[in-house]
Amino acid sequence: IGSVRPFVNFNAKNDAELLHRAMKGVGTDEDVVLMLLTSRSNDQRQQIKAAYKKAYGKDLVSALKSELGGLFESLIVALMTPPTLYDASQLQKALKGAGTDDDVLIEILASRTGEQIKDITKVYKNEFSAKLEKDICGDTSGHYQKLLVILLQGSREEGVDEEKIEKDAKDLYAAGEGKFGTDEETLIKIIGNRSAEHLRKVFDVYKKLAGSEIEDGIRGETTGNLEDLLLAVVKCARSVPDYFAECLYKCMRRAGTDDSTLMRIMVSRSEVDMLDIRASFQKKYGASLHTTIQHPPSFSTVLFFPPNSPSRKRLFSMCQ
């Protein structure tokens, strides 16, 4: 369940006018911009964008960028971007230039559905005149690259194949903890292709065989980006909200909050499963996500809480 839902009494023309007034004259009323856009769904924001161009003859995102700056500008631009394009642009940003932001590749490709990945691939090609798979292969190597390419196909098997459960569990055990050395090909073939519900059953059988969780086997048998990607896929097979709760916890534990990760998760999950992530965070870490985000204070609080939440009223005193 998402924390941002379509606004009931929505009127794109009126919202466009409110934003125009907020940006008119000296300075911009950032409160109006933030509260209005975070209480509208992404689809409604696209309608506001179209209404704004029709009424004022200019692009709303360009107008907002000219008035805002810093992290706040980045947040607003992200909110105004359609979800599939946002994912595609995050991947392109992670791949371009010197070095690769593997955390972004891992997060998006491990957590999105097959259909979402196929849509991202199409949008990436249209938007950047390049093939996502080719760009990823140019920046990665080895078994890590192979698993990324498998995930990029967006063609996981569906349902549970009861006949394969025990064999898959035994094969996973034999590929890692059950032998000297590691058979990475088997690990990535099973974990990269089976459905999430099938994998959950495989992991249960694996635990009986190995006496430990599959995650322990992966940590003991693999390293680096391959380890991180395998763990992310396993965690998402178990529970996507639990995976993102952990990502949020980690990005706020570092010396200084990792704002780009915080923003990316906040924007991409706000209409999907943010309330589930919030509940998972509370259960896993015994702390409110809201409270954790406030230390240090962050503009991101607004997307984690529904429009009628009292927490919204306190948002601006927490902004940096």
Side-chain angles (χ1 to χ4, degrees), residues 35-214:
M35 296 308 285
L36 191 150
L37 294 180
T38 54
S39 57
R40 306 295 187 268
S41 68
N42 192 282
D43 182 62
Q44 289 176 333
R45 292 177 207 133
Q46 304 315 313
Q47 294 177 56
I48 295 167
K49 186 179 175 182
Y52 187 91
K53 185 171 255 187
K54 185 179 180 183
Y56 305 106
K58 54 185 176 180
D59 180 65
L60 176 56
V61 176
S62 297
L64 288 164
K65 286 173 80 171
S66 70
E67 294 290 326
L68 307 173
L71 282 173
F72 186 67
E73 178 191 331
S74 300
L75 171 64
I76 296 302
V77 171
L79 288 171
M80 290 301 303
T81 309
T84 307
L85 176 57
Y86 181 68
D87 279 348
S89 63
Q90 289 294 299
L91 289 169
Q92 197 262 349
K93 185 180 171 186
L95 291 163
K96 73 175 185 181
T100 305
D101 190 338
D102 292 289
D103 289 347
V104 175
L105 300 187
I106 291 168
E107 179 195 302
I108 293 177
L109 294 181
S111 65
R112 304 307 191 253
T113 65
E115 285 306 309
Q116 286 172 332
I117 289 173
K118 286 175 182 175
D119 290 341
I120 290 166
T121 303
K122 288 175 191 170
V123 169
Y124 189 96
K125 187 177 182 181
N126 292 338
E127 197 69 21
F128 306 113
S129 302
K131 290 185 178 179
L132 180 54
E133 185 176 323
K134 187 179 178 183
D135 285 354
I136 284 177
C137 286
D139 273 32
T140 59
S141 61
H143 291 101
Y144 171 58
Q145 180 193 90
K146 288 181 182 177
L147 182 51
L148 286 171
V149 171
I150 288 173
L151 297 174
L152 267 176
Q153 306 317 301
S155 55
R156 275 191 183 279
E157 296 161 11
E158 293 181 5
V160 177
D161 188 337
E162 297 289 345
E163 293 179 4
K164 283 184 182 175
I165 292 170
E166 192 164 346
K167 184 180 186 304
D168 283 348
K170 286 178 178 177
D171 286 349
L172 285 175
Y173 180 66
E177 291 185 285
K179 66 176 283 186
F180 180 75
T182 307
D183 178 2
E184 290 91 348
E185 296 282 353
T186 298
L187 289 177
I188 66 175
K189 180 185 170 186
I190 294 172
I191 293 173
N193 284 298
R194 304 289 191 261
S195 72
E197 53 188 331
H198 180 90
L199 285 173
R200 287 194 291 274
K201 289 181 179 289
V202 170
F203 300 156
D204 288 341
V205 176
Y206 179 96
K207 187 176 181 181
K208 290 174 186 173
L209 282 172
S212 58
E213 299 289 0
I214 183 70

Side-chain angles (χ1 to χ4, degrees), residues 17-36:
E17 189 178 337
L18 283 169
L19 288 172
H20 180 67
R21 281 188 206 156
M23 291 185 282
K24 204 173 179 182
V26 181
T28 299
D29 191 336
E30 294 183 350
D31 291 7
V32 170
V33 173
L34 185 66
M35 296 308 285
L36 191 150

